Amino acid sequence: MKKTSIVDIYTQNNYLHKVVTIYGWIRNNRLSKIGISFLTVYDGSSTQTIQIVASKLLSNYYTEIIKLTIGCSVKITGNLILSKGYLQVYEIQAKYVRILGWIDHPELYPISAKKHTIEHIRNFCHLRPRTSLIGVISRIRSTVFQSLNQFLNSYGYLWVSTPIITSIDAEGAGSMFKVSMLDINNRSIIKNNLNNNTDFFKKKVFLTVSGQLTLEAYACALSKVYSFGPTFRAENSNTKKHLTEFWMLEVEKSFSNINEIFLFAEKLLKNSIMDVLNNCISELLFLQKTIDKNIINRLNNFIHTNFIIINYTDVINILLKNKHIFTDDIVWGKDLSSNQEKYLVHVYFKAPIIIINYPKMLKAFYMKVNDDNKTVAAFDILVPQIGEIIGGSAREDRIQYLDSRISEMGLNKKDYDWYKDLRRYGTVPHAGFGLGLERLILFITGIKNIREVIPFPRTVGRADF
């Protein structure tokens, strides 16, 4: 018999009063004195579960069914009917229950029926998808991933796979993981091989912090492109908002400018949240009960709120007028602190903001220098709870300015010869941005720690699995 998923049962009407077969895992087994076992089963397709009514008349009732514990996997065939109980809509009157997988030592099972903290289940990332919370986050993450791809495809953007292993530092910050085949336990071999370029790639290579520079090569030929994949930063930061491995959406558009690209970024953000509201309502209702009671109103308000556009210099002036609120220094040419960002978004504007025209010393070498020669055509989008969620800029398309910025940043010019070719041979104005997928999921779900919104988090001191 064809397999039926729980989400199908709750979203379609053609299964009622028919024989169905479902596969899933036990979430609860409630035994009745009259010889009936009420099994709660989930299959990962929905926040919903289905109640299975298993009678003592079943051949394996006493030998197997009454011994089922949370986590056991089962195949069940039976009649789907409306439930007489008030806790569920449907139930299946079981005709056949087959146990596919038992739980060894149920008393030691880390994802047992008792309530566990998020920190506890984080220690079992290979098992935590079995919890309702991580299941909800995973389905929302998948919806957002698909939404971003579909949105860009609808606007004619082509997906380009950019290198994960690179020899260049796209951000000029130096926080990169080195990749080597050399024996790290033998220092003399490492020193000799590095000096003679005999390592695997014959040069120093790293895990990428951004695919943007290589993506620009395709933008300067195909006009509208994007990449979507893992990136890596070797920053010694162990906060609730930082990961060392995370997923980044990067978008590049030729014949574009900063104003066009940040308006497009705002539209992309709102579209992905609208798709979650339209497609993940049961997940949002679960989060409304457990994490954020205002989540649906918050997301609805977000997609109907106009973002505030403001210059960095004007931001500094606003903060200076209210400097008595802060303990952080407020200086033109310095990055905003998280407290300052929160004040701007939550208190002063009460809306998401787009800050533009940052001092050039704060930003990467590839950002287009403005006429004042002090600022660059860069922007950051700040949203409630999270702070910066998107960063982007117009790219410097004038080779003489690019040369100057590379020198100012102390970068090796030879490493960027190929990048300057994009300016030598038919240069075009272009712009782009990067969106951190995990930060977007944090904002949508209301989860407080970024380690919960990626399947297997990598942070300082932790690279399990």
Side-chain angles (χ1 to χ4, degrees), residues 143 270-282 284 295-301 303-304 444:
T143 296
K270 290 180 175 178
N271 180 80
S272 64
I273 291 171
M274 188 179 300
D275 280 348
V276 170
L277 285 165
N278 289 336
N279 297 292
C280 299
I281 191 62
S282 64
L284 293 175
I295 185 170
I296 295 176
N297 287 335
R298 175 171 61 81
L299 295 179
N300 269 311
N301 289 338
I303 61 177
H304 293 105
I444 292 172

Side-chain angles (χ1 to χ4, degrees), residues 73-92:
S73 58
V74 292
K75 173 186 177 182
I76 295 170
T77 299
N79 293 314
L80 179 69
I81 62 172
L82 291 173
S83 178
K84 295 179 181 179
Y86 65 91
L87 295 177
Q88 60 277 324
V89 179
Y90 301 108
E91 64 185 32
I92 295 174

Side-chain angles (χ1 to χ4, degrees), residues 178-193:
K178 186 181 292 184
V179 177
S180 175
M181 290 290 290
L182 300 179
D183 182 2
I184 61 172
N185 295 313
N186 193 323
R187 293 186 179 181
S188 61
I189 290 179
I190 291 177
K191 183 177 181 180
N192 181 60
N193 283 320

Side-chain angles (χ1 to χ4, degrees), residues 325-380:
I325 298 174
F326 307 101
T327 57
D328 314 285
D329 291 337
I330 303 169
V331 181
W332 193 97
K334 187 174 180 179
D335 245 333
L336 304 180
S337 70
S338 60
N339 287 333
Q340 291 163 359
E341 290 179 347
K342 287 177 182 176
Y343 171 77
L344 293 167
V345 174
H346 291 276
V347 180
Y348 193 86
F349 290 110
K350 294 182 173 65
I353 62 175
I354 303 174
I355 302 177
I356 61 174
N357 298 326
Y358 279 84
K360 67 179 183 179
M361 72 276 286
L362 291 179
K363 295 298 182 180
F365 71 93
Y366 53 75
M367 298 187 178
K368 190 165 188 173
V369 178
N370 290 324
D371 292 341
D372 61 11
N373 203 35
K374 295 179 180 179
T375 61
V376 288
F379 73 92
D380 287 337

Side-chain angles (χ1 to χ4, degrees), residues 50-330:
I50 192 82
Q51 176 170 277
I52 312 299
V53 181
S55 161
K56 64 182 178 181
L57 298 178
L58 293 171
S59 61
N60 61 338
Y61 182 81
Y62 290 107
T63 57
E64 293 185 318
I65 293 175
I66 63 172
K67 299 176 183 178
L68 286 170
T69 59
I70 183 172
C72 292
S73 58
V74 292
K75 173 186 177 182
I76 295 170
T77 299
N79 293 314
L80 179 69
I81 62 172
L82 291 173
S83 178
K84 295 179 181 179
Y86 65 91
L87 295 177
Q88 60 277 324
V89 179
Y90 301 108
E91 64 185 32
I92 295 174
Q93 298 285 345
K95 292 184 173 182
Y96 171 85
V97 177
R98 179 186 174 192
I99 290 77
L100 303 176
W102 292 96
I103 295 295
D104 290 340
H105 303 291
E107 70 280 4
L108 301 178
Y109 183 47
I111 314 297
S112 60
K114 72 175 185 178
K115 187 174 182 179
H116 296 292
T117 65
I118 290 177
E119 290 74 20
H120 169 79
I121 65 171
R122 193 187 300 148
N123 294 317
F124 305 94
C125 285
H126 58 304
L127 298 176
R128 70 176 183 168
R130 303 180 184 199
T131 65
S132 297
L133 177 62
I134 301 301
V136 161
I137 293 170
S138 299
R139 286 189 290 273
I140 289 176
R141 182 184 171 101
S142 178
T143 296
V144 172
F145 179 84
Q146 299 296 337
S147 173
L148 294 170
N149 280 285
Q150 290 166 8
F151 179 82
L152 289 164
N153 183 62
S154 71
Y155 277 86
Y157 281 78
L158 299 176
W159 171 72
V160 174
S161 53
T162 54
I164 289 177
I165 295 176
T166 180
S167 60
I168 55 174
D169 185 353
E171 300 298 320
S175 300
M176 302 177 74
F177 289 101
K178 186 181 292 184
V179 177
S180 175
M181 290 290 290
L182 300 179
D183 182 2
I184 61 172
N185 295 313
N186 193 323
R187 293 186 179 181
S188 61
I189 290 179
I190 291 177
K191 183 177 181 180
N192 181 60
N193 283 320
L194 287 178
N195 290 339
N196 294 289
N197 290 326
T198 56
D199 201 359
F200 191 90
F201 289 104
K202 311 300 182 186
K203 59 163 58 175
K204 291 181 181 180
V205 293
F206 309 88
L207 295 178
T208 185
V209 298
S210 168
Q212 180 209 305
L213 301 189
T214 47
L215 189 62
E216 283 186 55
Y218 275 74
C220 291
L222 303 176
S223 290
K224 296 188 288 187
V225 296
Y226 75 99
S227 65
F228 205 168
T231 53
F232 309 83
R233 294 205 177 181
E235 294 175 320
N236 191 10
S237 180
N238 203 11
T239 75
K240 293 181 178 181
K241 292 183 180 179
H242 288 91
L243 293 165
T244 54
E245 177 187 323
F246 53 96
W247 277 63
M248 182 72 74
L249 171 70
E250 296 184 288
V251 177
E252 290 291 326
K253 186 177 187 295
S254 287
F255 312 106
S256 185
N257 57 46
I258 183 176
N259 293 330
E260 181 182 354
I261 205 70
F262 69 59
L263 291 175
F264 183 75
E266 177 183 345
K267 187 181 295 185
L268 177 141
L269 262 183
K270 290 180 175 178
N271 180 80
S272 64
I273 291 171
M274 188 179 300
D275 280 348
V276 170
L277 285 165
N278 289 336
N279 297 292
C280 299
I281 191 62
S282 64
E283 283 75 18
L284 293 175
L285 288 172
F286 175 87
L287 292 171
Q288 186 169 266
K289 291 179 182 177
T290 58
I291 300 296
D292 178 2
K293 64 182 180 181
N294 194 43
I295 185 170
I296 295 176
N297 287 335
R298 175 171 61 81
L299 295 179
N300 269 311
N301 289 338
F302 182 84
I303 61 177
H304 293 105
T305 299
N306 292 324
F307 290 15
I308 303 297
I309 303 165
I310 185 169
N311 272 283
Y312 168 88
T313 300
D314 294 330
V315 165
I316 294 299
N317 289 334
I318 289 171
L319 295 174
L320 285 171
K321 289 178 182 177
N322 297 276
K323 62 183 179 180
H324 61 280
I325 298 174
F326 307 101
T327 57
D328 314 285
D329 291 337
I330 303 169

